[in-house]
Amino acid sequence: MSASSQEVILSARGLTKEFFGFKAVSNVDLDIRENTIHALIGPNGAGKTTVFNLLTKFLNPTAGTISFRGQDITKLKPADVARLGLVRSFQISAVFPHLTVLDNVRVALQRKAHLGTQFWRSSRVLDRLDTRAGELIEAVGLTAYADLDAAELPYGRKRALELATTLALDPPVLLFDEPMAGMGVEDIGRISDLIRQIARDRTVVMVEHNLNVVADLCDRVTVLARGEILAEGDYAEVSANPKVREAYMGTEHE
Ligand SMILES: Nc1ncnc2c1ncn2[C@@H]1O[C@H](COP(=O)(O)OP(=O)(O)OP(=O)(O)O)[C@@H](O)[C@H]1O
């Protein structure tokens, strides 16, 4: 799939973030295209997490603009952009440890369906929710764990549950900050498969340190270094770029 043929869904122009006069992100232009998996990579301190937090509105930029589907979202709050369909997963996912896997997914679906505050619920609506909950649990490989409390799940499976509760919201754009952090090889394979699967009809933006995962999953890669964009392209292009190699080498020797 050619990433350049798709519409831009999320973009930033001149994105800049200063912390007490220090430019963590400097004049970043970014175009994320629909139905692609787009990675933000770069050595430690490059500004990846700051860009991620700016895009999801957890931080306000010092300068620059962000637009989503052509709408300027620079001044919106995280909840507003989430409602528009720009949702970050994992770090703020609401997983209730003392609810079962099934009930966690049910709660997420009820929130999406705005049923949370209603006392009356038709059994037809609840049946539909249960069917969808079952599908989501199966999609993330948790069918055998459906009746366990979330707290009892091993780490990788907990992340799969977080993914299911995020998918329950059915967002067109999903952003992951280091989805593979702390995972073993087996979990990485499983979560990679899941991300590939959910990205078939969604846009995924991810900050990821594991370059094997980036090479395997991502259509487009933006490399940041010292708060600026160093290179952009597919993984083969950016990994062959001498400036990128130098930036990574530089930090290895620090
Ligand atoms: N709240 C803050 N206050 C001051 N400086 C900050 C703040 N957040 C980030 N920085 C600085 O901005 C720079 C970029 O940090 P950021 O966390 O965005 O980089 P990163 O590429 O995500 O790094 P890592 O790979 O280590 O997570 C770093 O020098 C960091 O110390």
Side-chain angles (χ1 to χ4, degrees):
M1 176 172 48
S2 155
S4 59
S5 60
Q6 270 108 344
E7 293 278 321
V8 172
I9 189 164
L10 176 66
S11 73
R13 288 293 173 269
L15 206 56
T16 299
K17 181 67 184 177
E18 288 183 16
F19 294 111
F20 313 106
F22 168 74
K23 273 193 185 166
V25 170
S26 183
N27 207 21
V28 162
D29 291 342
L30 201 59
D31 283 325
I32 312 286
R33 291 181 186 273
E34 217 162 10
N35 294 344
T36 59
I37 306 183
H38 194 129
L40 297 176
I41 69 166
N44 290 337
K48 305 178 292 293
T49 299
T50 305
V51 168
F52 187 89
N53 286 333
L54 289 167
L55 291 176
T56 49
K57 303 302 302 118
F58 278 67
L59 282 174
N60 283 317
T62 311
T65 56
I66 304 168
S67 61
F68 175 58
R69 289 182 158 159
Q71 178 185 347
D72 189 331
I73 60 163
T74 317
K75 299 234 153 52
L76 297 189
K77 298 199 159 36
D80 298 328
V81 294
R83 221 167 288 127
L84 289 175
L86 195 70
V87 173
R88 58 190 276 168
S89 187
F90 291 163
Q91 288 174 335
I92 59 151
S93 296
V95 165
F96 302 103
H98 300 301
L99 287 186
T100 64
V101 166
L102 178 61
D103 283 342
N104 265 290
V105 178
R106 272 191 189 136
V107 167
L109 284 166
Q110 285 183 5
R111 244 186 357 191
K112 162 77 177 168
H114 304 295
L115 294 175
T117 53
Q118 290 185 12
F119 292 100
W120 175 85
R121 293 171 196 156
S122 82
S123 57
R124 201 162 57 88
V125 172
L126 283 185
D127 280 353
R128 214 178 324 130
L129 284 184
D130 278 354
T131 306
R132 183 71 190 128
E135 286 166 4
L136 285 168
I137 287 169
E138 193 183 346
V140 299
L142 289 179
T143 306
Y145 300 79
D147 297 325
L148 271 192
D149 280 0
E152 293 172 59
L153 292 175
Y155 184 75
R157 302 282 181 180
K158 214 173 274 170
R159 290 231 136 159
L161 174 58
E162 288 170 351
L163 197 53
T165 58
T166 309
L167 287 175
L169 304 175
D170 199 19
V173 181
L174 256 170
L175 298 102
F176 296 103
D177 192 6
E178 295 199 40
M180 308 303 172
M183 289 199 184
V185 181
E186 195 187 311
D187 285 333
I188 287 178
R190 191 174 328 107
I191 299 287
S192 291
D193 288 345
L194 276 176
I195 292 178
R196 193 179 290 112
Q197 189 186 319
I198 65 179
R200 275 192 206 130
D201 53 0
R202 282 194 181 78
T203 308
V204 170
V205 181
M206 56 199 261
V207 170
E208 183 51 62
H209 274 283
N210 184 328
L211 296 182
N212 291 328
V213 169
V214 173
D216 182 37
L217 270 187
C218 300
D219 305 296
R220 193 90 186 149
V221 181
T222 299
V223 187
L224 288 164
R226 297 176 202 273
E228 296 181 4
I229 292 185
L230 194 60
E232 200 173 278
D234 61 26
Y235 184 78
E237 281 162 358
V238 300
S239 61
N241 184 322
K243 282 197 287 185
V244 174
R245 288 168 167 263
E246 195 184 320
Y248 271 91
M249 293 285 287
T251 58
E252 267 172 28
H253 292 284
E254 264 170 19

